[in-house]
Amino acid sequence: MEVSEHRVPRHIAIIMDGNGRWAKQRGEPRLAGHEAGSETVRCVLNYCRDAGVRYLTLYAFSTENWSRPQDEIDGLMALLGTFVKKYGADLVERQVRLRVIGRREDLPAEVRRPLEDVEKETAGFGRQLIIALSYSGRSELVRAMRHIAEEVRAGTLLPEAIDEATISAQLYAPDVPDPDLIIRTSGELRISNFLLWQCAYSEFFVTPVLWPDFREEAFTEALTAYAKRDRRYGGVKSSDGQEAPL
Ligand code: FPP
């Protein structure tokens, strides 16, 4: 990869979009698009490892996705279960920590259990794959506000002591740095309730490529575009704030 490693994002978050359109273009059922999308997940994990990206967050299922037809939901849940059973051992071998963010209590037990087993097995590793499941940025913030309100009610937190760090500390994965780069596939220019607090200073990269087709060329294009961005965080000086890759 030709991207300078000093400009590699520490944390990439991806809105994986376009599976349905990919399937439709081929006259196949939507689930065929999600299956092809799972294969892209595997590839992107490899690209991230090779590029030295430490955190990868994937938006796999939003709280709004529960309104899809039941057979698509069942198919997606089955795919997730298969993915974790098939690649869980790979994650252990590659020393990648798996984490789930979102309303995990909404997930069927046969998906949640293997995910949590792999989460436990990989808890000590530094490089991370974070899967957003039954996730919504607004729900994450509501949950955080409730925890903070409870502390205020208990008298352990003064309202005037609440700052940005207080809120960040109540998110699903408080120790994970904010995403440096958010990628959205399939061309839509929307954030779709993803990482609403964490995206404050993220760089955005939108590609028309559909998620199942998002392979090395498209990934490199995103990293190259990121490397050229001048991140000012509202100020005037360039800053990359990088952490050494593993
Ligand atoms: C959006 O495409 C994609 C999803 C809602 C599901 C993403 C899931 C996967 C890639 C498979 C499994 C994930 C993991 C982590 C193994 P869409 O269906 O909204 O596409 P469309 O906009 O073209 O209809």
Side-chain angles (χ1 to χ4, degrees), residues 16-21 30 34 37-38 60 65 68 80 83 211:
M16 310 182 287
D17 197 10
N19 293 351
R21 274 162 282 175
R30 294 178 57 81
H34 297 314
S38 297
N65 288 152
R68 292 194 175 201
L80 279 161
F83 181 88
W211 177 249

Side-chain angles (χ1 to χ4, degrees), residues 123-225:
F125 299 139
R127 219 152 58 82
Q128 301 195 14
L129 167 64
I130 300 144
I131 306 186
L133 286 172
S134 195
Y135 176 86
S136 133
R138 285 189 172 183
S139 304
E140 181 175 33
L141 288 171
V142 167
R143 178 178 168 275
M145 301 310 161
R146 283 189 182 149
H147 288 164
I148 292 167
E150 277 160 20
E151 284 188 47
V152 170
R153 183 166 56 188
T156 52
L157 180 66
L158 291 170
E160 55 272 30
I162 297 171
D163 58 12
E164 291 187 9
T166 318
I167 294 167
S168 293
Q170 296 300 337
L171 301 178
Y172 287 118
D175 53 304
V176 172
D178 290 345
D180 302 292
L181 174 65
I182 296 183
I183 298 172
R184 181 164 190 150
T185 58
S186 93
E188 311 291 349
L189 302 172
R190 288 193 287 276
I191 190 70
S192 296
N193 216 346
F194 188 44
L195 303 178
L196 296 181
W197 177 265
Q198 300 89 328
C199 76
Y201 291 103
S202 304
E203 296 292 326
F204 279 85
F205 181 83
V206 176
T207 172
V209 173
L210 306 177
W211 177 249
D213 292 330
F214 187 83
R215 293 303 161 90
E216 193 160 11
E217 193 185 336
F219 181 80
T220 305
E221 195 193 336
L223 258 59
T224 305

Side-chain angles (χ1 to χ4, degrees), residues 5-194:
E5 69 174 38
H6 301 295
R7 286 294 211 152
V8 170
R10 178 172 46 171
H11 181 178
I12 297 181
I14 307 183
I15 302 175
M16 310 182 287
D17 197 10
N19 293 351
R21 274 162 282 175
W22 185 92
K24 195 171 176 201
Q25 283 173 2
R26 286 161 177 76
E28 292 181 34
R30 294 178 57 81
L31 205 54
H34 297 314
E35 276 166 18
S38 297
E39 184 52 24
T40 304
V41 168
R42 219 176 52 78
C43 294
V44 168
L45 254 174
N46 291 339
Y47 308 150
C48 284
R49 179 200 54 200
D50 295 347
V53 174
R54 289 180 64 85
Y55 303 87
L56 172 67
T57 300
L58 299 175
Y59 202 5
F61 197 88
S62 71
T63 49
E64 291 82 8
N65 288 152
W66 293 112
S67 66
R68 292 194 175 201
Q70 195 56 44
D71 59 342
E72 184 174 348
I73 294 173
D74 293 345
L76 268 168
M77 291 298 140
L79 257 181
L80 279 161
T82 308
F83 181 88
V84 74
K85 280 175 204 145
K86 216 164 154 189
Y87 298 114
D90 256 25
L91 295 176
V92 176
E93 196 180 313
R94 294 165 182 218
Q95 307 207 326
V96 175
R97 177 176 179 184
L98 177 74
R99 290 173 94 163
V100 173
I101 57 170
R103 294 175 44 88
R104 62 174 66 211
E105 62 276 17
D106 294 344
L107 301 172
E110 62 274 19
V111 175
R112 183 174 165 176
R113 224 178 294 117
L115 279 167
E116 291 184 341
D117 288 345
V118 179
E119 278 188 310
K120 279 188 204 118
E121 254 186 293
T122 60
F125 299 139
R127 219 152 58 82
Q128 301 195 14
L129 167 64
I130 300 144
I131 306 186
L133 286 172
S134 195
Y135 176 86
S136 133
R138 285 189 172 183
S139 304
E140 181 175 33
L141 288 171
V142 167
R143 178 178 168 275
M145 301 310 161
R146 283 189 182 149
H147 288 164
I148 292 167
E150 277 160 20
E151 284 188 47
V152 170
R153 183 166 56 188
T156 52
L157 180 66
L158 291 170
E160 55 272 30
I162 297 171
D163 58 12
E164 291 187 9
T166 318
I167 294 167
S168 293
Q170 296 300 337
L171 301 178
Y172 287 118
D175 53 304
V176 172
D178 290 345
D180 302 292
L181 174 65
I182 296 183
I183 298 172
R184 181 164 190 150
T185 58
S186 93
E188 311 291 349
L189 302 172
R190 288 193 287 276
I191 190 70
S192 296
N193 216 346
F194 188 44

